[in-house]
Amino acid sequence: MSTDHNARVVDQFSQQAEGYRQLTSSLPSDRSAALRAQIGAGPEDRLLELCCGPGSLALDFAPTVRHVTGLDLTAAMLEQARIHQAQRGVDNVEWVLGDACEMPFDDGQFSIVLCSAAFHHLVDPARVFGQMVRVCSGGGRIVVRDVTPSPDKSERYDATEKLRDPSHTHALSVDELRALGSQWPLDEISLQTTPTTHLGFDAILATSFPQQCSREDLHALLRADALSGEDRLGFKAAVIDGELKVSYPMSTAIWTKRQGGMTKEA
Ligand SMILES: C[S@@+](CC[C@H](N)C(=O)[O-])C[C@H]1O[C@@H](n2cnc3c(N)ncnc32)[C@H](O)[C@@H]1O
């Protein structure tokens, strides 16, 4: 656990909380319908979403499963999740304030353990992944969805994201994501990479709180990359109908935990 880094996360996401909820709740709802089908979520499942933010994904799953727990480090995000929950009218959900590095849950407590759009904020993703394996039951599913820039763009991608959001650490490549699961008694069900649709960069900047440069500087940086046509930064930046847009390289990895399996494999 890094106290300094956790403070950066809480600082950033306390500022982002309301705007982030509005942004994610306006995304198409089938973003989780497809995921629910892929995971095979059903009425007996107990689901944990770590780093749940304003809870949009957790709440999408709630009507399908028996119980949902959302864990996040940022109290302001969980406040937004409660507002969101009241709007959705679901009651099989609880929100827990805590650190994904030290999850306050029993071994095997959940049959689906999910983390979306957050591994790139972690100082020690391997440790958090180990915690996910610990709290998942045998036969359960572990899901990590996150941005996965190509290795040749990784350094520039991370540097750009750190400028936009100082709580960014490192976005794993597809190979690094896959390697997370390789040391545990898990079987990979699928690993799919599907870039997001192009999103307006100014809307993203509106919910960003850069410290080392201005929003205008970031807009200029991405615009120059778009106009170069080279995608040096890894966001597929493009000016479409006069608007600067970016696309995030998202991957979703799903593993199942072997029955009785917990020990790390050599
Ligand atoms: C980009 S948001 C993603 C929210 C949500 N999972 C989604 O897909 O919309 C990242 C979230 O991770 C949380 N977070 C970052 N590091 C964390 C940690 N170590 N433990 C728990 N939550 C953390 C932040 O507070 C923030 O709410």
Side-chain angles (χ1 to χ4, degrees), residues 9 13 20 24 49 51-53 72-74 77 98-100 116-118 122:
V9 167
F13 284 101
Y20 193 88
T24 52
E49 186 190 359
C51 309
C52 64
D72 202 281
L73 195 57
T74 307
M77 277 293 197
D99 187 345
S116 164
L122 301 175

Side-chain angles (χ1 to χ4, degrees), residues 36-155:
R36 285 198 304 276
Q38 263 182 303
I39 298 171
E44 295 308 315
D45 281 312
R46 288 157 285 114
L47 180 143
L48 169 67
E49 186 190 359
L50 52 143
C51 309
C52 64
S56 43
L57 201 52
L59 291 168
D60 279 353
F61 273 81
T64 305
V65 300
R66 192 202 300 176
H67 190 264
V68 171
T69 302
L71 173 110
D72 202 281
L73 195 57
T74 307
M77 277 293 197
L78 296 183
E79 274 168 38
Q80 293 300 319
R82 287 189 187 94
I83 293 171
H84 205 173
Q85 179 186 357
Q87 288 167 347
R88 297 273 196 104
V90 289
D91 59 8
N92 60 338
V93 181
E94 68 176 322
W95 308 106
V96 177
L97 185 66
D99 187 345
C101 287
E102 293 167 4
M103 287 197 263
F105 304 119
D106 293 337
D107 295 359
Q109 192 178 327
F110 302 97
S111 57
I112 299 175
V113 182
L114 167 65
C115 186
S116 164
F119 260 59
H120 62 273
H121 294 289
L122 301 175
V123 172
D124 190 348
R127 175 171 169 179
V128 171
F129 192 82
Q131 287 281 304
M132 294 175 76
V133 178
R134 178 182 71 76
V135 301
C136 185
S137 55
R141 284 81 85 212
I142 292 173
V143 184
V144 178
R145 180 159 78 170
D146 204 11
V147 285
T148 51
S150 63
D152 60 320
K153 295 176 182 170
S154 168
E155 214 171 297

Side-chain angles (χ1 to χ4, degrees), residues 117-192:
F119 260 59
H120 62 273
H121 294 289
L122 301 175
V123 172
D124 190 348
R127 175 171 169 179
V128 171
F129 192 82
Q131 287 281 304
M132 294 175 76
V133 178
R134 178 182 71 76
V135 301
C136 185
S137 55
R141 284 81 85 212
I142 292 173
V143 184
V144 178
R145 180 159 78 170
D146 204 11
V147 285
T148 51
S150 63
D152 60 320
K153 295 176 182 170
S154 168
E155 214 171 297
R156 289 187 292 268
Y157 181 97
D158 284 342
T160 309
E161 279 295 77
K162 281 179 187 170
L163 283 177
R164 188 185 65 75
D165 178 347
S167 69
H168 179 96
T169 54
H170 168 58
L172 302 175
S173 66
V174 168
D175 286 348
E176 288 171 324
L177 177 60
R178 172 167 279 135
L180 282 177
S182 63
Q183 294 184 354
W184 295 98
L186 303 174
D187 294 311
E188 184 181 305
I189 298 177
S190 63
L191 200 167
Q192 292 177 353

